Amino acid sequence: MNFDLSQEHQMIRKSMREFADKVVAPGAIERDRTKEFPKEIFKQLADMGMMGLPFSEEYGGAGADTVSFAIVTEELSRACASTGITYSAHISLGGAPLNLFGTDEQKHKYLTPISTGESFGAFGLTEPNAGSDAGGTQTRAIEDGDDFIINGSKVYITNASYAKHLAITAITDIKDGKKEISAIIVPTDAEGIKVIDNYEKMGLHASNTTELVLENVRVPKANLLGKRGEGFRQFLVTLDGGRIGIGAMAVGIAQAAFDKALKYSKERKQFGKSLSEFQITQFKLADMAMKIELARTMVHKAAWLKDQGRPFTKEASMCKLYASEIAMQIADQAVQIHGGYGYMKEYEVERYMRDAKLLEIGEGTSEVQRMVIAREIGC
Ligand SMILES: Cc1cc2nc3c(=O)[nH]c(=O)nc-3n(C[C@H](O)[C@H](O)[C@H](O)COP(=O)(O)OP(=O)(O)OC[C@H]3O[C@@H](n4cnc5c(N)ncnc54)[C@H](O)[C@@H]3O)c2cc1C
C-alpha cells in the first residue's frame, strides 16, 4: 500500500496551487460580489490543457486520471469555489457522459470542443418536479421521422449559458405505464430552447446556474446518447463520478477555511494571548485538520478505485457525504474563530460557508447519499 501521490500528481498539485494562488484567488471576493463568470481564468486553464484533463488525447484531452481531476478541483475550489464547481461540472457532468456513452462521431463532435475549452460542459437532469427522485422526469421527446421533438424544462443547470450543447434526460416512450428515459444531446442554440440565468443564489455567485425551457426543440435521433431507455442509468453512473468532484471541492473549501482560521488564531490576541494559545481553539483546529485529512483520503480512494476500473459507487457517495458535511462544519468553525471579523466579507470565511452549503445538496443531497450507502452495504 502506498499513500504517496505519484510524481505526476505532485506536479499537478504544485502547478495548480501556484495558478490558484496567483490567478484564481485574487478576484474571488470581487467575483462573489459582482457574480462575474470567471471566463478569463478558464481561457488560461484551457491553455494549460486542463479543460479535457481526464479525456483521451484523441478527443482533445490530456489522458490524465481521476486522481489528477480531484487534485485540480480541490486546488481551484480552495481559491474560489465558483471556479471549482464550474470546472468540476464541466468535466464530470458535461464531458464524462459523452466520454462514457458517446459514439466515436459524437465524441469528435461534442467532447472535443469541451476538452479544448471551446465549449463548457453541462448536464441537464433536474426538473421542477424531479430532483432527488430523478426518475420523475417529465420532459418528453417525441419521435418525428428522423428527429426527436423535445418539450419540457430543466432547473439549476450549471454552465449551460456557456455550453454549446448539453446532454439532457427525456422520456422517449411510455410502455405499460413505465417511462423509457433516454439521454439526448441538445445544442443550446437550437430553435425553441431558452437558457435563463437569473437565479439569486446563497453562494457560488460566480458560477453559472440556469433554467432551461424547451419548446418543440427538434434534434436528430443521431443525438441519442448511448442506448435508448438507458438515460436514467447513464446519468446515475455519471453522478457517481461527479460526486468525487464534489468531494474534492469540499476538501478545497475546508482547507481554505482551516488555513484562514489557523493564521487568524495566531494573529488575534485577546486576554493578552493569541487565540491559538487557548486550548479550546487548538482543539477546534485539531478537529478541523483531522477531518480534512480523512475527507481528502476518502476522495483519493474513490478516485483511485475509479481509475482502477473497480466499483466505486459506495466510496464516491461516502467521500461526497463526508467531505461536504465537514466542509460546512469547518467553514462554520472558521467563522467562529474569526468572531465578528468572520461575519465580514473581507475575511472570506463567510463565503466559504455559503459556498459549502451547496455541496450537501447538489449531485444528490446528504439524505440521498445515505440512501445510496445503505443500499450498497446491503440494507
Ligand atoms: C447551484 C446548483 C447547481 C446545480 N447543478 C445541477 C446541474 O448542473 N445539473 C442538474 O441536473 N442538477 C443540478 N442541480 C440540482 C441538484 O442536483 C438538486 O437540487 C438536488 O439533487 C436536490 O433536488 P431538489 O432540489 O429537487 O430537492 P428535493 O429532491 O425536493 O429534496 C428536498 C429535501 O427532501 C429530501 N428528500 C427527498 N427525497 C427523500 C427521501 N426519499 N428520503 C428522505 N429525504 C428525502 C432531500 O434530501 C432534501 O433535503 C443543482 C442545484 C443547485 C442548487
Side-chain angles (χ1 to χ4, degrees):
M1 187 177 298
N2 183 355
F3 282 99
D4 283 328
L5 289 180
S6 69
Q7 259 193 338
E8 203 182 326
H9 293 141
Q10 287 178 40
M11 269 167 53
I12 290 186
R13 167 88 74 201
K14 188 169 177 286
S15 69
M16 284 317 296
R17 185 163 294 174
E18 283 169 12
F19 177 78
D21 286 342
K22 271 198 208 124
V23 180
V24 185
I29 295 179
E30 186 59 6
R31 287 191 300 273
D32 178 56
R33 197 178 63 77
T34 59
K35 304 181 179 164
E36 188 190 336
F37 186 74
K39 234 180 159 182
E40 264 315 305
I41 291 173
F42 283 97
K43 272 196 194 131
Q44 295 189 47
L45 283 168
D47 292 344
M48 291 164 80
M50 290 294 157
M51 297 304 272
L53 188 68
F55 306 127
S56 148
E57 287 169 23
E58 196 188 340
Y59 307 113
D65 57 12
T66 315
V67 174
S68 306
F69 159 70
I71 291 170
V72 174
T73 304
E74 179 192 330
E75 290 301 330
L76 292 176
S77 305
R78 185 179 54 80
C80 166
S82 289
T83 304
I85 192 174
T86 305
Y87 182 76
S88 185
H90 168 81
I91 299 273
S92 65
L93 299 184
L98 296 166
N99 187 47
L100 285 168
F101 310 111
T103 61
D104 185 52
E105 199 186 333
Q106 286 173 335
K107 287 187 200 181
H108 278 294
K109 194 167 173 189
Y110 300 112
L111 182 58
T112 303
I114 286 181
S115 295
T116 57
E118 197 189 313
S119 172
F120 278 84
F123 162 96
L125 176 68
T126 308
E127 297 187 5
N129 294 313
S132 301
D133 179 14
T137 298
Q138 292 172 331
T139 295
R140 284 297 304 255
I142 309 270
E143 289 177 71
D144 185 43
D146 288 337
D147 299 331
F148 283 118
I149 299 178
I150 309 173
N151 280 284
S153 64
K154 299 283 169 182
V155 290
Y156 312 140
I157 308 306
T158 304
N159 290 346
S161 301
Y162 300 92
K164 292 194 162 71
H165 51 265
L166 81 163
I168 62 153
T169 43
I171 303 167
T172 41
D173 203 358
I174 300 181
K175 283 183 196 136
D176 302 327
K178 213 171 161 260
K179 290 176 187 172
E180 177 193 82
I181 299 176
S182 305
I184 302 172
I185 304 164
V186 181
T188 50
D189 62 359
E191 207 179 320
I193 186 164
K194 261 193 239 141
V195 181
I196 305 160
D197 166 19
N198 61 6
Y199 289 118
E200 299 250 358
K201 292 179 291 187
M202 171 192 272
L204 297 172
H205 286 162
S207 78
N208 173 249
T209 314
T210 62
E211 185 185 349
L212 306 183
V213 180
L214 301 109
E215 274 175 12
N216 296 321
V217 177
R218 184 178 282 273
V219 297
K221 278 188 187 161
N223 281 25
L224 188 72
L225 181 62
K227 288 200 188 111
R228 196 172 159 146
E230 299 249 312
F232 186 57
R233 188 193 63 82
Q234 287 168 16
F235 272 49
L236 291 185
V237 172
T238 301
L239 283 173
D240 280 347
R243 284 167 188 160
I244 297 174
I246 298 281
M249 270 191 75
V251 173
I253 297 176
Q255 184 69 54
F258 169 79
D259 290 345
K260 285 256 174 355
L262 179 64
K263 184 167 177 284
Y264 186 81
S265 72
K266 290 181 181 169
E267 291 165 1
R268 174 73 171 170
K269 284 197 165 59
Q270 288 292 282
F271 301 98
K273 280 183 176 178
S274 300
L275 299 182
S276 61
E277 290 177 73
F278 299 125
Q279 197 178 49
I280 192 158
T281 314
Q282 292 174 359
F283 282 9
K284 280 182 186 179
L285 289 164
D287 281 351
M288 288 174 168
M290 173 185 69
K291 288 172 182 175
I292 293 169
E293 190 79 31
L294 291 174
R296 184 178 290 118
T297 304
M298 198 62 209
V299 169
H300 288 183
K301 180 175 177 182
W304 178 82
L305 283 170
K306 181 169 183 281
D307 288 333
Q308 304 307 307
R310 286 165 52 178
F312 66 98
T313 299
K314 181 182 75 184
E315 289 77 6
S317 268
M318 284 180 171
C319 86
K320 195 266 189 194
L321 173 61
Y322 183 72
S324 59
E325 293 195 344
I326 65 114
M328 263 315 274
Q329 294 160 15
I330 290 171
D332 179 26
Q333 285 304 314
V335 172
Q336 194 67 19
I337 287 174
H338 280 73
Y341 294 96
Y343 207 67
M344 303 298 141
K345 289 197 185 274
E346 162 187 9
Y347 285 79
E348 295 196 83
V349 283
E350 63 81 39
R351 186 181 87 239
Y352 301 152
M353 203 167 151
R354 289 186 282 110
D355 289 351
K357 184 61 202 171
L358 181 269
L359 309 180
E360 294 182 318
I361 298 169
E363 301 199 29
T365 61
S366 293
E367 292 75 13
V368 166
Q369 303 311 321
R370 288 188 165 85
M371 283 155 61
V372 171
I373 296 165
R375 194 175 59 224
E376 289 289 318
I377 60 174
C379 286

